[in-house]
Amino acid sequence: MSDEEPVLRGETHVGRVALRVADLERQTEFYRDVVGLAVLESRSTDDRVVLGAGEGALLELIADPSAPERAPAQTGLFHTAFLVPTRAALGDALERVRTQWQLDGAADHLASEALYLSDPEGNGIEIYRDRPPEEWDRTESGGVRLDTLPLDLQEVASISRGRASVPRETTVGHVHLEVSSLAASRAFYVGQVGMGVQYEYDGALFVAAADYHHHVGLNTWRGRSEPASGDPNRTLGLEWVELVVPDRETLEGVRERLLERDSEITPEGDAEFAFSTRDPDEITWRIRVENGS
């Protein structure tokens, strides 16, 4: 594999992402109409909207109009990356963005092809599709080589079918975070959570369970040095990210590694199946068993 073997199995994946937002209605419309997610649940009692694909929840929006914006020095979300199953679905996404919003950029990352944009409140978004794993360029240590090359948008646009929503197979493929220290983040995500290093270059680190190209991207490009704002002083932006593991044995392994290094964990619902913890930048992760109850 890479220089640090992952402990987590390949069935591990990113689950939901939660964002604290100022304008719930506008944000909901954006993720529905531009990104192409479906509204799965709208709870007026606690000002929350859940969006997803098919029956799978991918994004939770939490209304908090009084919350301040994230300060320029604070760590937090770089982007949420929605993984679509086909290049045609990427073409559909490109058409939606071009007709209803604004594209910030696009790239061929070797293992994947990606579109970049930001939501109305400045939260970064990537919509991407993976190339088949057998086509990925493996490094000498077994990781996945990534790059940032031009993407032929005209070719991607040519295969759009004009669909207004993402396919039901769409998932959150990864999250990319802005952190204060790659060394501290590596110690947490690799040494404690159990991911493996897939690729790294100047100012960025990509880690994953098993042999995926990355479930978590980490960078220090903007020199953010202050931890994400935690409860009770919440800011707009990333509230939490969910990591889904295949079974209770895997969950217990993560729990034990965190406790061994004095990380704080908090039960979530049935503690037998879920708990939350925070990384070195106070970014909250909810870790749960797939289909746990």
Side-chain angles (χ1 to χ4, degrees):
M1 190 62 194
S2 63
D3 59 336
E4 294 168 283
E5 288 284 343
V7 177
L8 296 176
R9 289 162 39 191
E11 298 92 335
T12 299
H13 60 90
V14 177
R16 295 170 297 162
V17 172
L19 300 177
R20 187 164 292 273
V21 302
D23 190 330
L24 183 61
E25 182 177 0
R26 188 182 186 202
Q27 290 286 79
T28 300
E29 290 175 352
F30 170 84
Y31 282 98
R32 182 193 65 203
D33 299 339
V34 179
V35 177
L37 302 181
V39 175
L40 303 181
E41 185 178 349
S42 181
R43 303 199 297 264
S44 58
T45 54
D46 55 2
D47 292 325
R48 292 174 186 250
V49 172
V50 177
L51 299 102
E55 297 179 357
L58 304 180
L59 181 69
E60 186 165 329
L61 302 177
I62 304 165
D64 192 351
S66 63
E69 294 183 1
R70 178 168 58 133
Q74 283 182 307
T75 55
L77 184 68
F78 189 59
H79 61 239
T80 302
F82 297 99
L83 172 62
V84 295
T86 65
R87 202 176 197 218
L90 191 66
D92 295 337
L94 177 58
E95 182 174 345
R96 290 193 301 273
V97 174
R98 280 179 161 175
T99 57
Q100 302 181 66
W101 200 246
Q102 179 177 335
L103 190 68
D104 293 341
D108 181 339
H109 292 305
L110 300 181
S112 63
E113 296 179 315
L115 308 174
Y116 294 98
L117 61 153
S118 299
D119 74 16
E121 297 186 6
N123 297 295
I125 297 165
E126 176 181 344
I127 303 174
Y128 75 109
R129 74 102 182 181
D130 279 338
R131 287 192 169 93
E134 58 269 20
E135 296 180 10
W136 296 356
D137 183 10
R138 293 283 175 181
T139 64
E140 292 182 1
S141 59
V144 180
R145 193 180 310 280
L146 302 173
D147 205 339
T148 301
L149 305 173
L151 178 63
D152 189 338
L153 288 176
Q154 184 174 347
E155 185 178 311
V156 174
S158 71
I159 58 174
S160 169
R161 303 152 300 179
R163 296 188 177 176
S165 59
V166 296
R168 61 182 303 108
E169 299 88 355
T170 299
T171 63
V172 176
H174 66 269
V175 292
H176 195 145
L177 306 173
E178 295 184 300
V179 299
S180 58
S181 166
L182 291 183
S185 292
R186 185 178 188 134
F188 176 81
Y189 289 97
V190 176
Q192 297 184 50
V193 177
M195 295 186 183
V197 174
Q198 288 293 342
Y199 197 64
E200 54 187 317
Y201 59 88
D202 189 26
L205 178 68
F206 300 90
V207 299
D211 58 358
Y212 192 57
H213 55 72
H214 68 295
H215 288 112
V216 183
L218 306 152
N219 80 67
T220 56
W221 296 329
R222 297 179 184 175
R224 296 186 187 267
S225 58
E226 297 178 6
S229 197
D231 190 13
N233 299 310
R234 292 170 170 157
T235 63
L236 297 174
L238 184 64
E239 180 76 0
W240 46 261
V241 185
E242 189 176 64
L243 185 69
V244 182
V245 298
D247 49 45
R248 288 169 57 188
E249 181 181 0
T250 303
L251 185 74
E252 287 307 309
V254 177
R255 194 199 309 264
E256 289 173 10
R257 288 190 297 275
L258 289 166
L259 291 175
E260 285 172 0
R261 293 162 179 81
D262 297 322
S263 291
E264 183 177 337
I265 62 173
T266 303
E268 291 283 345
D270 188 338
E272 193 174 0
F273 294 96
F275 64 85
S276 64
T277 189
R278 291 183 178 180
D279 79 356
D281 290 293
E282 299 297 323
I283 295 169
T284 298
W285 282 84
R286 293 184 173 184
I287 305 174
R288 69 168 176 87
V289 175
E290 184 87 64
N291 300 321
S293 60

